[in-house]
Amino acid sequence: METEEGRTPATTKRDLRFAIIGAGMAGILSAIRLEENGFHDYTLYEKADRAGGTWRENTYPGVACDVPSHLYSYSFAPNPEWSHRFSPGDEIEAYFERIAREHGLEARTRFGEEIERCEFVDGRWHLRAKSGLTDEADVVIAATGVLHHPAIPDIEGLEDFGGALFHSARWDHGVALDGQRIGVIGTGSTGVQIVSALVSRVRKLSLFQRTAQWIMPQENPPYSEQEKAGFRAHPEELQRLHADISKLFAEGFANAVVDADSPQMKAIEEACRDNLERSVTDPVLREKLRPNYRAACKRLVISPDFYDAIQSPNAELVTESIERVEAGGVRTSDGRLHELDVLVMATGFRADRFMRPMQVVGRGGRSLDEAWAERPVAYLSISIPHFPNFFMLNGPNGPVGNFSLIEVAELQFDYILQLVDELASGACREVCASEEATRAFDAERVEAARKTVWTTGCHSWYLDDRGIPATWPWPFDRFREEMARPRPEAFERLG
Ligand code: NAP
């Protein structure tokens, strides 16, 4: 018998125990989907004291998701209450916590437990947390997120700064901002959201720009009470909205960026160029804000109000490079000291870390650090050769960037479930991608990456140490197709 997704569920189930690492969006999803599919023996491990992942960690002023909220929701938990087309971070965090609570996951989560080691011994994963707690599981789901290790810039004198200094993902809410002089280093999605949110509150805002960014304009209207009532009364309307936005995103964006010459890509570029020309009146400032590379080469920044914010009388765009940080502020290469009370590093994340520093040791004592000595590689971003029964959500080389990672994780989880069914039915005791399939996938991915807009001449966190985008280089439909069913020949099975 096949399910709607075409999956053949195991009829007689071997009792499998699961360890899910991380209680963010993907961990919560995993627990819910396991439960739905009759796998009740699992524990979620979460290093922090709350669920919510990236939305728990990123609490900076202006934090929001620039993927539309009705797409950035679980397909099985539409939310008629979203306040805006692009809702703020605290609402998203509350959504994940509510869904976890409604599914009884708080009781299934060991909060404050950071797993530091996972080792495959005699067919089972042995886990050890920093606290000394240990556990064993047949299957590990690494739902550890993508961007969660802050990149601290290598700038001289950071430790000399006399005011408050912190990374955007470690916001210090004890620090007063109103009426202060704030410096922001970085013009990625985060820096842009911070600048827009803070400029009206502070005495002076200095934005230190190393590289200009293209800005895609995007209105962010609130949903009216009437609209929300309509969503509540007609949940099927929300399902339709989810599907429509997903299609729009795939066709208008996901498929565009993987083909640098596509007409959709040209439309995105025109919209960004037009936004700059129309919105920035001072020609000198306009040129400083004009990137010298193609739109969407770096992860596209989406903002309704950044250009307004940076043109505020109390805002300054600083394009001279940072020489060093001093007690009183930031000294730039022109010798000027930009005096500051608060300095925010919106300098991004170490995108190649994934579940590390957790030590993972697979079959035959092979460590993840060895497997990833050159760079992170995984078959379809899910499975690593010699690491049986260990599956990643949003692992290396998947669709990341301007996508709904929820949609990505849902597709990945249904794929993983089909492999889990093989274990549960007794068809095999161990399953992981073969070296051959992984090598072939990686070679094909690297080749396909050449056509993408990410390789058209910019520096970004998408690029690996060789300058090759580490993201999914094909249209989103191909991802859907791949996720529909594992190719039997791509996996090695034992037992
Ligand atoms: P980012 O895109 O990596 O941007 C980091 C910024 O810091 C860049 O402007 C970079 O300049 C600058 N920078 C780094 N080191 C520097 C140094 N030593 N001196 C001067 N400038 C330096 O990081 P992010 O803005 O935190 O965004 C990361 C990703 O998180 C996004 O791309 C997105 O995928 C996700 N995100 C999503 C949302 C959302 O709404 N969905 C919001 C925020 C973040 P260069 O460009 O010159 O390297």
Side-chain angles (χ1 to χ4, degrees):
M1 186 192 73
E2 286 204 341
T3 62
E4 260 173 48
E5 313 93 72
R7 194 167 70 82
T8 311
T11 39
T12 45
K13 292 208 162 155
R14 182 182 141 207
D15 285 336
L16 293 173
R17 171 155 176 73
F18 296 79
I20 302 168
I21 305 178
M25 172 278 288
I28 295 169
L29 164 75
S30 304
I32 294 172
R33 301 283 287 123
L34 283 178
E35 195 70 61
E36 273 173 10
N37 284 276
F39 298 104
H40 306 296
D41 188 6
Y42 61 87
T43 301
L44 275 144
Y45 288 99
E46 170 53 56
K47 66 178 188 297
D49 59 0
R50 284 175 71 181
T54 200
W55 304 103
R56 183 198 62 237
E57 289 196 350
N58 286 280
T59 59
Y60 58 80
V63 61
C65 185
D66 59 15
V67 174
S69 297
H70 285 294
L71 176 60
Y72 195 79
S73 310
Y74 294 121
S75 60
F76 53 82
N79 178 20
E81 310 305 329
W82 288 124
S83 66
H84 287 76
R85 186 181 293 165
F86 304 93
S87 299
D90 56 353
E91 236 179 89
I92 301 171
E93 155 80 6
Y95 168 80
F96 286 123
E97 285 201 309
R98 173 172 67 78
I99 302 293
R101 203 171 43 247
E102 285 174 2
H103 285 81
L105 298 186
E106 281 172 337
R108 309 295 303 268
T109 307
R110 300 293 304 257
F111 289 103
E113 293 290 0
E114 180 171 352
I115 302 296
E116 61 173 11
R117 189 174 170 87
C118 278
E119 185 169 5
F120 194 67
V121 183
D122 296 333
R124 290 199 103 195
W125 285 98
H126 294 240
L127 286 78
R128 193 182 69 216
K130 267 193 173 159
S131 66
L133 172 146
T134 58
D135 193 2
E136 281 184 35
D138 300 293
V139 178
V140 172
I141 313 265
T144 46
V146 187
L147 300 173
H148 55 114
H149 294 287
I152 304 300
D154 185 15
I155 298 175
E156 193 190 319
L158 276 181
E159 61 290 350
D160 299 334
F161 185 55
L165 169 78
F166 43 83
H167 186 272
S168 55
R170 300 285 180 272
W171 197 272
D172 184 345
H173 290 277
V175 172
L177 302 169
D178 295 294
Q180 301 289 300
R181 296 163 304 177
I182 316 279
V184 176
I185 305 176
T187 50
S189 304
T190 304
V192 161
Q193 289 181 341
I194 293 172
V195 168
S196 302
L198 281 189
V199 75
S200 61
R201 290 176 54 186
V202 303
R203 172 146 56 110
K204 172 91 202 266
L205 195 144
S206 308
L207 175 61
F208 296 92
Q209 170 185 285
R210 185 166 68 181
T211 312
Q213 281 269 14
W214 288 109
I215 311 284
M216 182 78 169
Q218 189 63 266
E219 291 310 311
N220 189 15
Y223 286 111
S224 66
E225 281 313 313
Q226 202 183 355
E227 282 172 302
K228 288 191 225 171
F231 292 147
R232 270 178 230 127
H234 301 285
E236 71 286 356
E237 180 66 13
L238 283 182
Q239 305 277 6
R240 197 185 51 76
L241 201 60
H242 187 281
D244 287 354
I245 307 173
S246 167
K247 190 158 177 276
L248 216 72
F249 242 64
E251 288 171 3
F253 191 81
N255 295 357
V257 288
V258 296
D259 182 358
D261 300 323
S262 62
Q264 298 99 313
M265 198 54 247
K266 294 210 167 58
I268 291 171
E269 286 178 316
E270 260 167 45
C272 292
R273 211 171 19 244
D274 188 50
N275 188 27
L276 177 65
E277 303 294 350
R278 259 188 314 106
S279 313
V280 184
T281 45
D282 172 6
V284 176
L285 180 63
R286 196 189 305 137
E287 290 322 301
K288 284 185 177 181
L289 287 166
R290 189 188 300 277
N292 61 0
Y293 55 88
R294 292 184 62 181
C297 181
K298 281 172 179 284
R299 198 266 192 196
L300 195 58
V301 176
I302 295 167
S303 172
D305 50 8
F306 170 68
Y307 285 146
D308 290 342
I310 201 65
Q311 293 177 91
S312 301
N314 62 332
E316 182 179 3
L317 180 76
V318 181
T319 53
E320 287 77 20
S321 59
I322 297 174
E323 193 109 315
R324 62 179 175 274
V325 173
E326 300 178 5
V330 169
R331 175 92 54 191
T332 43
S333 56
D334 55 354
R336 195 173 145 206
L337 178 69
H338 301 262
E339 290 180 275
L340 300 169
D341 303 304
V342 180
L343 181 55
V344 178
M345 297 176 283
T347 44
F349 299 86
R350 298 180 63 190
D352 64 341
R353 302 303 293 158
F354 294 97
M355 63 267 211
R356 295 176 287 182
M358 181 170 79
Q359 296 167 0
V360 188
V361 181
R363 203 186 269 150
R366 186 179 169 82
S367 75
L368 185 69
D369 284 338
E370 283 169 56
W372 286 1
E374 286 188 358
R375 62 195 67 86
V377 179
Y379 178 67
L380 291 175
S381 121
I382 283 176
S383 175
I384 311 165
H386 310 293
F387 291 77
N389 310 351
F390 185 102
F391 305 111
M392 290 172 291
L393 290 170
N394 287 309
N397 314 138
V400 291
N402 297 84
F403 295 99
S404 166
L405 286 192
I406 301 188
E407 196 176 15
V408 171
E410 287 192 7
L411 290 165
Q412 290 175 329
F413 198 83
D414 286 346
Y415 181 97
I416 291 169
L417 212 46
Q418 297 178 62
L419 298 169
V420 164
D421 278 337
E422 293 189 32
L423 301 171
S425 68
C428 64
R429 296 192 74 82
E430 298 181 15
V431 62
C432 60
S434 72
E435 278 208 31
E436 198 188 344
T438 306
R439 241 195 324 267
F441 166 71
D442 206 50
E444 204 190 339
R445 173 186 75 73
V446 166
E447 183 55 34
R450 294 180 204 284
K451 261 191 88 183
T452 67
V453 74
W454 307 311
T455 58
T456 54
C458 69
H459 173 77
S460 79
W461 65 261
Y462 290 157
L463 304 180
D464 68 16
D465 54 311
R466 302 163 296 179
I468 292 172
T471 59
W472 185 258
W474 298 288
F476 201 72
D477 281 347
R478 171 154 175 185
F479 183 68
R480 271 187 224 285
E481 282 159 25
E482 286 284 0
M483 288 299 107
R485 199 182 282 277
R487 295 169 196 247
E489 71 282 6
F491 287 86
E492 261 175 17
R493 296 167 178 82
L494 279 189

